[in-house]
Structures are given as structure tokens and as C-alpha cells.
Amino acid sequence: EKGGYDYFMLKEIAEQPKAVADTLLGRIDGSGSLTLDEVRIPPRVLREIDKIVVVACGTAFHAGMIAKYAIEHWTRIPCEVELASEFRYRDPILDAQTLVIAISQSGETMDTLMALRHAREQGSKVLAICNTNGSTIPRESDAVLYTHAGPEVAVASTKAFLTQLVACYLVALYLGQVRGTKWGDEIRAVIRDLSSISGAVERVLGTMEPVRELARTLASKNTVLFLGRHVGYPVALEGALKLKELAYMHAEGFAAGELKHGPIALIEEDLPVVVVVPSPRGRSVLHDKIVSNIQEIRARGARTIVIAEEGDEAVVPYADHLVRIPATPTLLQPLVATVPLQVFACELATARGNEVDQPRNLAKSVTVE
Ligand code: M6R
């Protein structure tokens, strides 16, 4: 049932190109527009939405953080992202013009369920992004956009995450389309890029052997840090979460711009630091700033593991290890940048003799608050 792989996690990592393609299937029509008929919230209601709040936990929360960048960019609707477990306890401001998006692979996470119940009690509409047909969260929501990752068995979420990202992009683009905000060449172009993104994920998977080798050499380390900016920041957080869960190592993700406000004090000789580098083409200012960050930490002895777009030559002199990912539009980069981090964590767990599919103390779905 593991399809020839040693672990479900490896199988699920390998299934990502298909999971991504399946989640797009039937949702883009021949003219390159989105047809999300499943989102039963009428366009009239969607046009009146003046705030979006995303609630989720763990890996799904990281998908939500990335959704915020996409939603605000393509729709200009203010968007907040909140850990589901924090949400209702602070009496959030919600009304009928608020759209709450609840992201959950299992559809049974109690924290997320309680958050959406609270939102509906306040009159907000709830759209679920979920991987499990007929589970509680979609049943209790006003609408659902299913991710089509197929069953995810390993406790550490991989393919569900990539499909949650796809679903978030679809929602953001759809809202842009329905509301006419910024609708035009850029949205159309991104829909086209999304259609070919599964091939890019496949290409990354084909180049992972050096990442595995590197992970094995780090098995005795205590700490790994992850840095990113813009959508690379949630990717860094996701890389750190995977490493905590699987390798039981101290791992932290930071927004690279925050380094100088504290975390740079952690840098010491031979500390592995993974840096997710934004495309030099898109927000090139951010690219240049992160290249300076890499220089700074390397000057302080860090061992830099740099994840950068193919053709990005500026990072080469400062990368102790360089992992190449295909060029994508800025907002879509997490779909390719996350994959090496999953492989890295999985291999480190194996090298440390940990149980990959069933990490200690964790359950696949957390049905208690
Ligand atoms: O089923 P959900 O997506 O609601 O689960 C949320 C988190 O519990 C989940 O993502 C968790 O963080 C994973 N173990 C991460 O790999």
C-alpha cells in the first residue's frame, strides 16, 4: 500500500505533481477563466465581502499565511490569518461582510471547527478548503472547495499542503475574477502558470538526491534555522515545522528582515541555515535584501543552504549548498520551494532513526481543543 516506498510520507511527497494537477482539474475552463461552481456563495455576496479571515492550524495555517499574500494582491480585500486556536477567544470582529476561510486537511480539527462555528454565529460566511469528503468542517461550512490530494496517511502533511496552496490561489483568483479587481492580464497569466505548475513540482522532485545527502550529514546537529521573506516566510515556517515534527530537532523559521532585530544573535560557527530566496525577477528588492542577509550570516560562520531559482547567479558565492528550483511567478513559488524542505526533514528523520510516518506524541487529526 506504500507503493514501493519505505514510508507513506515518501509516497505522498512523490504524489504531489498529481495532487496539484487533480486539484486544478475541471476548475479552469477553455477560455482560461475559473469555474468554481462548487463555491455556492453567490457572486453577489462575494462582491460585498469587505474582509477575509483565514483560520487554520499547523501546516494548514502556513497555507493560510500564503493565501493572505495572494488574496490581498489579487483582490485588494483586507485579509487576516489567525491560528484557529486563538481566534474565538479574543472576540474577533466579524459580520455578514466577512468571509472566513477555514483550511483543514482532515476536516476534523477541533480548533478549526470551533473557530468556524464562532464565525457563523456572528453571521459570517464560511468557505472550507478541505481534503476529506463529507468531514465535519465542510459539512458545517456555507461552501467547500475540496483539495484533491487523495488520502494523506503520514502524520506530517505534504501533498495536502501543496493542494491547499492551489485551492487558496484559486479562491484568490476567483474573487479577483468575480469582483473585477485587478482582473486582467496578470490574473489570466497566473491561471496559465498554475496549469503548468505540476510539471515544475515534478522537476524539483527529480533533483532531490543532493538534498538527501546533505540531510544525512546534518543528522547530529541540534538546531536548524530557516529564513524567508514575503511568501518565502511561511515556507520557512513550514520547513521548520516539518523538521520539529519529524527529526525532533530545534528548528525555527524567521522572516529574514527580522534577523537584525534579534535572531542574528543565534548565528554561530557551522549552524545550518536554510534560506528561501525570492525570485530575482519579481520583487527584486527583496531578492537583493535576502542576498545581503545570506552574506551577513555567512560572515558569522553559518552554513548556508540556499534555495534559489534556476539562473539566480547572485546567490552562488554565498551558498555552501545550493538547491535549485524552477522559476515561477513570485506568489506561486511556495509550490516548488516547499518540496526540498519536506525531503530534507524526511531524510533527517530517517538518519536519526525516527519513525517517519508516526512521529512521537502526534496524531494525524487533532480532534480535541
Ligand atoms: O487536518 P488539518 O489540516 O486541520 O490539521 C492541521 C494540523 O494539525 C496539521 O497540519 C499538522 O500541523 C501536521 N501534522 C503538519 O505536518
Side-chain angles (χ1 to χ4, degrees):
E1 51 182 10
K2 292 181 193 147
Y5 293 92
D6 290 342
Y7 308 108
F8 279 107
M9 186 179 176
L10 287 172
K11 173 171 177 268
E12 290 161 5
I13 288 174
E15 284 170 347
Q16 292 183 112
K18 181 170 186 308
V20 162
D22 287 349
T23 301
L24 289 164
L25 201 69
R27 289 169 171 166
I28 301 174
D29 70 16
S31 70
S33 302
L34 297 177
T35 48
L36 298 188
D37 296 337
E38 315 130 89
V39 178
R40 294 179 320 246
I41 305 173
R44 175 184 48 79
V45 176
L46 291 177
R47 276 192 281 271
E48 278 159 16
I49 295 296
D50 62 11
K51 184 169 87 170
I52 295 178
V53 181
V54 185
V55 290
C57 306
T59 288
F61 174 72
H62 298 149
M65 287 179 75
I66 293 166
K68 175 186 163 83
Y69 288 85
I71 288 170
E72 291 198 338
H73 180 69
W74 287 322
T75 72
R76 310 309 296 158
I77 306 170
C79 177
E80 297 168 12
V81 194
E82 188 151 1
L83 291 167
S85 55
E86 287 294 318
F87 182 64
R88 72 186 171 120
Y89 296 101
R90 64 173 184 87
D91 194 13
I93 302 163
L94 298 162
D95 58 28
Q97 272 75 55
T98 310
L99 175 68
V100 172
I101 302 179
I103 310 176
S104 174
Q105 186 286 131
S106 62
E108 301 296 347
T109 300
M110 189 55 74
D111 288 314
T112 311
L113 180 61
M114 296 312 273
L116 85 83
R117 281 187 184 156
H118 181 78
R120 292 196 77 197
E121 278 161 18
Q122 313 301 307
S124 301
K125 291 269 181 262
V126 176
L127 168 66
I129 291 178
C130 184
N131 196 46
T132 312
N133 271 39
S135 55
T136 312
I137 288 173
R139 274 195 281 115
E140 293 205 14
S141 298
D142 294 283
V144 53
L145 187 65
Y146 279 110
T147 49
H148 294 150
E152 193 180 63
V153 178
V155 166
S157 187
T158 54
K159 62 176 181 171
F161 177 67
L162 257 61
T163 60
Q164 282 161 357
L165 291 179
V166 170
C168 289
Y169 295 132
L170 289 176
V171 168
L173 293 163
Y174 182 68
L175 284 170
Q177 179 177 303
V178 166
R179 296 163 62 100
T181 341
K182 270 209 161 185
W183 168 244
D185 295 348
E186 180 178 339
I187 291 185
R188 249 185 288 268
V190 172
I191 293 174
R192 265 199 310 278
D193 288 321
L194 259 182
S195 322
S196 61
I197 205 78
S198 145
V201 177
E202 184 86 63
R203 269 175 50 213
V204 183
L205 284 170
T207 60
M208 286 296 98
E209 201 40 50
V211 173
R212 285 191 198 97
E213 273 168 36
L214 168 64
R216 290 194 285 270
T217 68
L218 300 176
S220 60
K221 293 279 177 195
N222 296 316
T223 299
V224 180
L225 302 183
F226 294 78
L227 299 177
R229 255 194 116 126
H230 194 260
V231 289
Y233 168 44
V235 171
L237 294 178
E238 174 61 8
L241 177 63
K242 288 276 107 58
L243 207 61
K244 287 174 199 155
E245 283 188 290
L246 292 156
Y248 317 149
M249 289 166 85
H250 170 228
E252 276 193 79
F254 299 108
E258 276 293 292
L259 258 187
K260 57 187 176 300
H261 300 290
I264 198 162
L266 291 169
I267 305 296
E268 56 188 22
E269 201 57 37
D270 215 32
L271 177 78
V273 184
V274 180
V275 189
V276 182
V277 181
S279 162
R281 297 161 301 114
R283 284 172 180 59
S284 53
V285 192
L286 291 187
H287 171 268
D288 298 351
K289 285 186 191 297
I290 230 171
V291 174
S292 321
N293 293 141
I294 303 173
Q295 279 173 278
E296 283 157 11
I297 57 172
R298 197 154 181 269
R300 288 165 178 76
R303 181 149 156 201
T304 56
I305 303 164
V306 176
I307 302 183
E309 199 173 283
E310 284 158 4
D312 180 351
E313 296 307 319
V315 295
V316 175
Y318 315 110
D320 294 313
H321 307 273
L322 185 54
V323 181
R324 289 298 190 186
I325 51 174
T328 59
T330 304
L331 283 163
L332 303 189
Q333 196 200 50
L335 287 170
V336 289
T338 308
V339 175
L341 306 186
Q342 300 167 338
V343 172
F344 182 70
C346 185
E347 192 66 29
L348 257 164
T350 313
R352 287 163 72 95
N354 297 352
E355 174 53 64
V356 170
D357 288 335
Q358 289 286 341
R360 67 185 184 199
N361 308 339
L362 294 174
K364 183 62 182 163
S365 72
V366 185
T367 52
V368 289
E369 246 195 302

